[in-house]
Amino acid sequence: MFSRPPGAGRAAGIMFETCAAMLGVVMAMTLAYAASDQDCINATAWSESVIASLPVDPAPKVDKSIISEADFIVVGGGTAGAVVASRLSEVSKWQILLLEAGPEEPRGTMVPAFGSIYKDNPNYEWAITVQDTPNEKSGDLNRAKMLGGQSVNNGMVYIRGSKADWKCWEEAGATGWTAEEALRYYKKSENNLNPDIAKDARNHGTGGLLPVQRMPYLDNTSKLIRAAFKEAGMKEVDLNGDASEGFMFAQNVMKGSKRFSTNRAYLSQQRALRSNLKVLTGATARRVVIDQRSKRATAVEFTDTDGKTHVVKAKKEVVLSAGAIFSPHLLMLSGVGPADQLKAAGIPVIVDLPGVGEKLMNHIGGMVHPTINLTKTVSLPTPASMMNDIKLFSEDSGPLSTQGPSKVRTFERSPYQPANDKRPYLQWEVTRSSNGRTIPACSGTSASASCYYNQVKMTLVLLQPHKYGSLKLNTTHPTEQPVIAQAVFTDKRDVKIHARGVKDMVERLQGSAALSDSGAAVVPPSAGSACSKEKAGSEEYYQCVLLATGGRTWSHQSGTCPIGTVLDPRLRVKGVPNLRVADAASFPCLSNGNTMAPVIMIGEKAADLVKADNGENV
């Protein structure tokens, strides 16, 4: 709507942008207010006014010029890539080029309640199809395509996983990746803003670039769930500290009431201050150029938004941080991967690495869940309260600073998991849901905000499934998206563990006096008549429900270029000097929790490994 006047200096430009934003707030709120004293609100204008109320960050330094070479090229500006590029640019004598296929991060992603506001928008997301396999109901895999990657449109939850994860890593060949070493980098990245948590200085950091905190607003349903869990004997703990079991109101990547992606934490200010850091958006990597004789990575080939191809030389190293789907795909397009697939696709084999894409790990869960229908604690707004919520949001509080009750997380062991595995296999996510309309939108207008709801779903995530999927090259059309086959409850042990977990949670909720007194009704998952032969509420019944309705994976893909078979412990691709992978693809074992925090930690450590291997003190 408004543009900076030509020739305006930086200070004048920021002042103009601030004034324009303020005017936008006034205009949008005027439109929304026009209906707010009635029974409905102009929801579209209301959404615009929420976004317009956000603080105006300095405009990113955008330079679309193509350079011929850089010391280091980082491919992928997502959760890990933003960290790697930022930390490498701390060495002022190095020229860093960050290539990101997507655009700049849009401002609307800063609103927690708007969640995945750009989900299914092809400008901001990759929609990756998966093969039709047994029990598979995931649909497309949606991966963010913008600076900040999945840290921009995920659930914001900061969970490190279990300290017992690192025993698995070391057994897989990840020498040096111990629990204490991981903790060192978690603390380096973290700026914990909750004093009661930050005081545990052994487990938490306060000087890092990544702000971490609980959401600043707790609604009545969240308090109700807390009471129900405590009735059941569950302990409220810090799951990023010494405890591995219990429940917590999750910590999130945010500051005040706003989401803080790795783009905002690691790139926004650094781009403005460092002339040696060049960020190029709209740059889709096609392959790493590898010398066939020396096997060294020498350059990256990419296309711009006009489809023009460019090649930039890497004087020192190339770091792939394109994620667990695209990092292995780029390796294969570059001639590194399973020789049989490369030959079938007509790609010259430079290094035969069968482990590339061999294992695609992910967390899994069912499609139907225990549901709590709310009465006294519903979060259903009026037009007037929605307008007031914008004011509260600007003051770092209120419903818009949350995603409803979804920050309640529990971790617990299953009686059916191996007794010698100390990791809890079950993670429960409390997520909002709705029955009917939750926003009083006027006809022809629309909005979606996860802070408004009248139902809660208890979603069980199986953290350590016994079988994994795979990622293979499309040998007919190799440059198109890879062929992905997922493993969703194809192992009877996983079905049994999941069913027992659901049974225990349903009984726990149905026995809760807190829920009963609030008028809430617990509805067990069902498959209709498909499971009528089984006794309702039994383990066999919930096994039947799961297999009848299917399951899905989470957005926690990992392990497609693991340390051990593809990478050495310093994240270097075996047989290819000057090439590394630093993202979730490098996981040799599945993280026992959400993957964002471990990926950020890997970005931090990867940068130090690169620095040390290139003569810098760390």
Side-chain angles (χ1 to χ4, degrees):
M1 184 182 296
F2 306 103
S3 59
R4 182 188 297 190
R10 183 171 180 81
I14 293 175
M15 182 178 294
F16 177 84
E17 289 161 5
T18 302
C19 292
M22 292 175 64
L23 182 57
V25 173
V26 172
M27 293 175 64
M29 291 185 74
T30 298
L31 289 171
Y33 265 125
S36 66
D37 59 348
Q38 303 172 19
D39 293 332
C40 66
I41 191 169
N42 184 329
T44 305
W46 174 81
S47 295
E48 292 171 353
S49 66
V50 174
I51 295 173
S53 74
L54 292 164
V56 178
D57 291 333
K61 183 174 64 177
V62 177
D63 178 6
K64 290 291 186 180
S65 63
I66 308 298
I67 58 178
S68 61
E69 63 180 22
D71 291 298
F72 296 90
I73 301 176
V74 180
V75 179
T79 304
V83 179
V84 174
S86 176
R87 291 302 193 187
L88 291 182
S89 70
E90 293 172 343
V91 182
S92 59
K93 65 183 179 182
W94 288 347
Q95 179 68 37
I96 312 301
L97 174 62
L98 175 60
L99 300 176
E100 166 55 42
E104 299 285 341
E105 176 184 353
R107 292 176 70 217
T109 61
M110 294 166 62
V111 185
F114 286 177
S116 302
I117 187 173
Y118 297 102
K119 182 175 172 60
D120 299 325
N121 184 327
N123 294 321
Y124 297 103
E125 276 206 343
W126 304 97
I128 303 167
T129 57
V130 299
Q131 298 297 296
D132 185 10
T133 54
N135 308 318
E136 168 62 79
K137 302 293 183 182
S138 302
D140 289 346
L141 302 181
N142 298 102
R143 308 303 295 165
K145 184 173 68 171
M146 64 187 98
L147 281 177
Q150 285 297 108
S151 72
V152 173
N153 70 348
N154 62 9
M156 301 172 55
V157 175
Y158 181 86
I159 291 179
R160 297 173 179 173
S162 172
K163 290 183 178 180
D165 285 342
W166 304 102
K167 178 183 177 182
C168 179
W169 279 57
E170 289 197 281
E171 290 174 349
T175 306
W177 292 80
T178 63
E180 285 303 312
E181 180 74 353
L183 179 59
R184 172 188 168 197
Y185 285 101
Y186 281 127
K187 291 173 65 176
K188 179 179 180 179
S189 67
E190 182 184 19
N191 181 24
N192 199 293
L193 302 176
N194 293 128
D196 63 311
I197 295 175
K199 69 181 181 182
D200 178 9
R202 191 173 73 82
N203 286 306
H204 292 282
T206 55
L209 296 175
L210 186 74
V212 176
Q213 65 171 66
R214 299 187 195 94
M215 288 185 168
Y217 177 83
L218 201 63
D219 67 13
N220 289 328
T221 298
S222 299
K223 297 173 185 176
L224 179 63
I225 297 297
R226 168 194 269 163
F229 284 168
K230 286 191 171 182
E231 278 181 338
M234 301 183 70
K235 293 183 178 180
E236 187 169 354
V237 297
D238 174 15
L239 290 166
N240 290 322
D242 291 324
S244 61
E245 296 180 68
F247 79 94
M248 73 172 181
F249 287 96
Q251 297 150 43
N252 308 275
V253 287
M254 65 187 306
K255 186 176 182 180
S257 59
K258 318 301 187 295
R259 176 196 291 267
F260 234 81
S261 68
T262 56
N263 172 54
R264 294 194 73 210
Y266 285 87
L267 290 178
S268 293
Q269 293 186 30
Q270 291 78 356
R271 291 171 70 182
L273 299 174
R274 297 176 187 165
S275 60
N276 66 325
L277 174 59
K278 181 177 179 62
V279 178
L280 196 60
T281 57
T284 304
R286 297 303 178 189
R287 68 183 180 108
V288 179
V289 180
I290 301 173
D291 183 270
Q292 292 208 16
R293 293 184 61 187
S294 67
K295 313 294 185 185
R296 290 182 177 274
T298 61
V300 174
E301 179 184 300
F302 69 92
T303 54
D304 60 24
T305 52
D306 295 323
K308 185 177 180 181
T309 299
H310 307 271
V311 177
V312 179
K313 178 183 177 182
K315 294 162 64 177
K316 293 185 180 294
E317 292 192 30
V318 175
V319 181
L320 297 184
S321 295
I325 303 298
F326 295 114
S327 284
H329 190 213
L330 280 170
L331 281 182
M332 290 190 280
L333 292 177
S334 307
V336 179
D340 57 341
Q341 294 182 43
L342 300 180
K343 291 176 182 177
I347 298 173
V349 179
I350 294 177
V351 176
D352 179 14
L353 279 181
V356 175
E358 181 181 32
K359 181 174 66 175
L360 173 60
M361 302 185 296
N362 211 328
H363 301 137
I364 59 176
M367 295 300 294
V368 296
H369 317 281
T371 301
I372 304 174
N373 292 325
L374 305 170
T375 54
K376 297 178 182 178
T377 63
V378 293
S379 181
L380 297 179
T382 64
S385 71
M386 289 177 68
M387 297 308 300
N388 188 58
D389 287 345
I390 299 177
K391 177 178 180 295
L392 293 174
F393 180 63
S394 68
E395 298 169 351
D396 287 337
S397 184
L400 291 169
S401 66
T402 75
Q403 293 177 342
S406 65
K407 296 308 127 184
V408 185
R409 292 289 191 275
T410 80
F411 284 73
E412 54 188 311
R413 292 174 57 82
S414 166
Y416 296 143
Q417 72 178 73
N420 62 349
D421 193 338
K422 303 304 181 184
R423 299 171 296 180
Y425 276 24
L426 305 178
Q427 176 182 344
W428 283 97
E429 299 182 357
V430 183
T431 58
R432 53 83 66 182
S433 184
S434 61
N435 181 16
R437 191 174 74 160
T438 58
I439 291 179
C442 295
S443 177
T445 71
S446 64
S448 176
S450 60
C451 57
Y452 304 134
Y453 60 97
N454 56 17
Q455 284 183 333
V456 164
K457 288 191 182 297
M458 305 296 296
T459 305
L460 178 57
V461 184
L462 186 56
L463 297 173
Q464 297 299 328
H466 288 82
K467 289 190 178 179
Y468 304 130
S470 64
L471 180 150
K472 296 181 179 180
L473 198 60
N474 182 335
T475 55
T476 306
H477 303 286
T479 59
E480 294 183 3
Q481 64 178 244
V483 178
I484 294 173
Q486 303 197 108
V488 181
F489 293 108
T490 55
D491 190 296
K492 292 181 179 178
R493 290 170 293 181
D494 296 337
V495 176
K496 188 175 181 180
I497 289 172
H498 188 278
R500 175 59 184 268
V502 171
K503 177 179 182 293
D504 290 347
M505 179 57 75
V506 169
E507 291 175 354
R508 184 182 301 162
L509 297 175
Q510 288 180 332
S512 168
L515 291 177
S516 178
D517 292 346
S518 74
V522 178
V523 182
S526 170
S529 61
C531 299
S532 59
K533 293 182 179 180
E534 305 293 346
K535 181 182 178 182
S538 67
E539 287 186 44
E540 292 76 14
Y541 175 79
Y542 289 121
Q543 290 181 33
C544 176
V545 170
L546 176 63
L547 294 176
T549 55
R552 68 180 183 92
T553 59
W554 259 239
S555 295
H556 298 162
Q557 297 90 0
S558 58
T560 47
C561 303
I563 297 174
T565 60
V566 176
L567 309 177
D568 71 12
R570 301 186 75 79
L571 302 177
R572 297 175 295 205
V573 178
K574 292 184 174 183
V576 187
N578 301 345
L579 180 61
R580 302 188 201 229
V581 176
D583 55 31
S586 67
F587 289 17
C589 305
L590 187 54
S591 178
N592 211 64
N594 300 54
T595 51
M596 176 174 60
V599 168
I600 293 170
M601 180 276 297
I602 282 176
E604 290 278 11
K605 178 164 180 173
D608 272 3
L609 292 174
V610 172
K611 288 177 180 178
D613 290 346
N614 286 274
E616 294 297 312
N617 294 323
V618 294

